[in-house]
Amino acid sequence: MRLSFLHTPFLNGPRPIYWLMQVFTWSMYVGMFYVWNSLNGRQQSGIELLLLMEVITGMAASHLLRYIILKKGLLNTDIGDLLPRLALYASLVAIFATLLEMALHDLLLTGFKPLSSEPFLTHVNRTINWGLLLIIWAISYLAYCYFIQNRREEIRSLRMETANRENQLNTLRAQMNPHFMFNALNGIRALIDEDPDQAKRAITQLSAILRNAMSTVKRRTVPLGEEIDIVKAYLALEAMRYEERLNTRISVEPSLERSPVPPMLLQTLVENAVRHGIAHLPQGGVLEIDAAHSLNGMVITVRNSGSFKPGRGKGSGIGLRNTRRRLELIYGPQAHLDIREQDGMVVTEVTIPFNIDKASIDPHEPNI
Amino acid sequence: MKALIIDDERLARKELISLLAVHEHITIVGEAANADEAEALIAEKQPDLVFLDINMPGRSGFELLEALDQSPQVIFVTAYDEHALKAFSVNALDYLLKPIDPQRLAGAVAKLQEFHAQDGPQRELLRETDQIFLKDGEKCWFVTLKDVRSFESEGNYVRVRFNDQKPLVLRSLNKLEEKLDPLVFFRANRKHIINLRWVESIEPWFSGGLMVKLKHHGKDGQPETIEVSRRQAARFKELLSL
């Protein structure tokens, strides 16, 4: 397993806890040595200075080893690769520690017998001793790092999960269109007395829309026929509210029924046409939907009575911009959306190719 | 109590009518499907209460209220409108959410105070107890005229001062002056109309004018002052000497 240690703050400089642990562990080690010596009756004057020197040597050597571990990226290496390299670095640092210890000893502790006068075998012994200590130190250090990193990864993945959920929820909320939902429910409440059969139909249509909104969050494309069914249910409910003010006509080339389209694309356009078109006309108007073959794809056209003034009113254009972005993500430059006013009608035209651009990015599978 | 229902959807009106059937003291005197119809009906029927949908084709419910000189009591009705809900919450206005909960409807109706018997079918002037509807940006208020200290003209707009609020609304000061009771509201100068009930003291001012201090202190602790022009000073004295 590879762990990414990029952007982890403790690479930029050790935290106070690191130094605290350093002082603590090395003092403990040297302290034990001191206790061992005194228990065996080997007391020397000035031993405290000697022990302090050991602490300093240990800390310097282990800090150097830490520097090498981080510099060489040992934290990101596979375990099989890690151990031999760690052994090598620890040996090199052990030699450094032996030399440092000797230098400090002979320069500062003039009352003792110089270490440099010891036989060569003693130095080898001391180096091996340092090496073992440093390896133990390094393993503890790595374990600590892995622990911290693991915890961070966990928090990060939890955060990502939350963000994803929130995203899904937002999408869902947008698709539910609360204004429409509550108005439809209000209409149904009135219909229960007036026309119970129509009230029943309306509830079925509303369920279809709700179910669709919930399931399409995960789907990348749906057959056009399916999308048209939802649009029909939606328009039937709007017709319940607007009555004679909303006149609809839908015409789809039968061969296109199974062609894939992005879910909720047509639905969004039709909702826009109702909300920004028909809803503003006291006398109501016409809404027409057409789907036809084009050169190597299809053209879906939504026409509605009303006028189109770009950039007018609060929040206008956000829906269109989102739809354009979706099209671009799925189809690349081959798909486009045009909106214009023509003979007192607002015409929205979407061109979609049959083949999904392979180079395009799937918006539902972020590249991590 | 005479009530008017304003909603562009027939079914929504029908639903509200059937919900109101149990409230015997409320008589529905009319239905309107848009702001234009509503304005005509309000003038004709003089309702005490309107149930008003915000989202309508043509003018919105807010725009309708802004066009009225005097507002009847209003219960807003909306399905879901974030802007409107925000406006309501600012001033705790009464509103109902569709589909309407009968209990909440009963609560809103119970809160309304009964209008006192009217002095004649068509009133010419706004009285102190009348309410006006004001909207400035996202905020809106129903203000009883006796709480208004002054109106100040700013271009095509009028700044209305009451409590610690001073919204700017699209009205004409001259039109307002015609509607207001001249025994209470006085045109102090070209730019101001003041509420005489709020006058605390009057001092002589330059070139025959007067300086009026109002019973309200601004943020700096100083009382609000408005100058009465020389032309109006004589009328002002006459009015007060009554």
Side-chain angles (χ1 to χ4, degrees), chain A residues 173 178-179 182-183 185-191 193-194 240-243 245 278-283 314, chain B residues 7-12 14-15 18-19 33-34 55-58 78-81 83 98-100 102 138:
Chain A
R173 199 173 296 142
H179 186 78
F182 291 122
N183 271 315
L185 285 169
N186 193 47
I188 291 172
R189 203 172 190 279
L191 269 184
D193 290 330
E194 185 181 290
M240 169 189 84
R241 290 174 49 208
Y242 293 113
E243 301 189 312
R245 283 168 58 204
I278 311 294
H280 290 293
L281 304 170
Q283 302 310 318
K314 269 179 199 155
Chain B
D7 196 310
D8 59 317
E9 293 172 33
R10 184 188 63 87
L11 279 177
K14 190 181 171 206
E15 170 66 8
S18 76
L19 281 167
N34 56 54
N55 304 284
M56 289 189 292
T78 186
Y80 184 91
D81 181 327
H83 293 296
K98 294 180 194 172
I100 296 162
E138 286 207 324

Side-chain angles (χ1 to χ4, degrees), chain A residues 71-92:
Chain A
K71 198 79 185 169
K72 294 284 175 187
L74 240 57
L75 285 163
N76 297 325
T77 346
D78 291 324
I79 196 97
D81 207 21
L82 172 84
L83 288 178
R85 284 174 70 186
L86 186 60
L88 173 70
Y89 300 142
S91 319
L92 292 174

Side-chain angles (χ1 to χ4, degrees), chain A residues 35-51:
Chain A
V35 170
W36 175 256
N37 266 357
S38 38
L39 283 178
N40 287 303
R42 276 184 273 163
Q43 273 300 12
Q44 270 180 291
S45 61
I47 185 120
E48 289 78 9
L49 203 60
L50 182 75
L51 296 175

Side-chain angles (χ1 to χ4, degrees), chain B residues 158-174:
Chain B
V158 168
R159 191 172 292 289
V160 186
R161 290 196 166 80
F162 57 94
N163 305 336
D164 52 352
Q165 308 284 332
K166 41 177 187 177
L168 199 59
V169 297
L170 186 62
R171 302 244 174 148
S172 129
L173 198 67
N174 289 336

Side-chain angles (χ1 to χ4, degrees), chain A residues 239-252:
Chain A
M240 169 189 84
R241 290 174 49 208
Y242 293 113
E243 301 189 312
E244 72 284 349
R245 283 168 58 204
L246 177 61
N247 301 291
T248 56
R249 192 186 60 75
I250 300 179
S251 103
V252 177

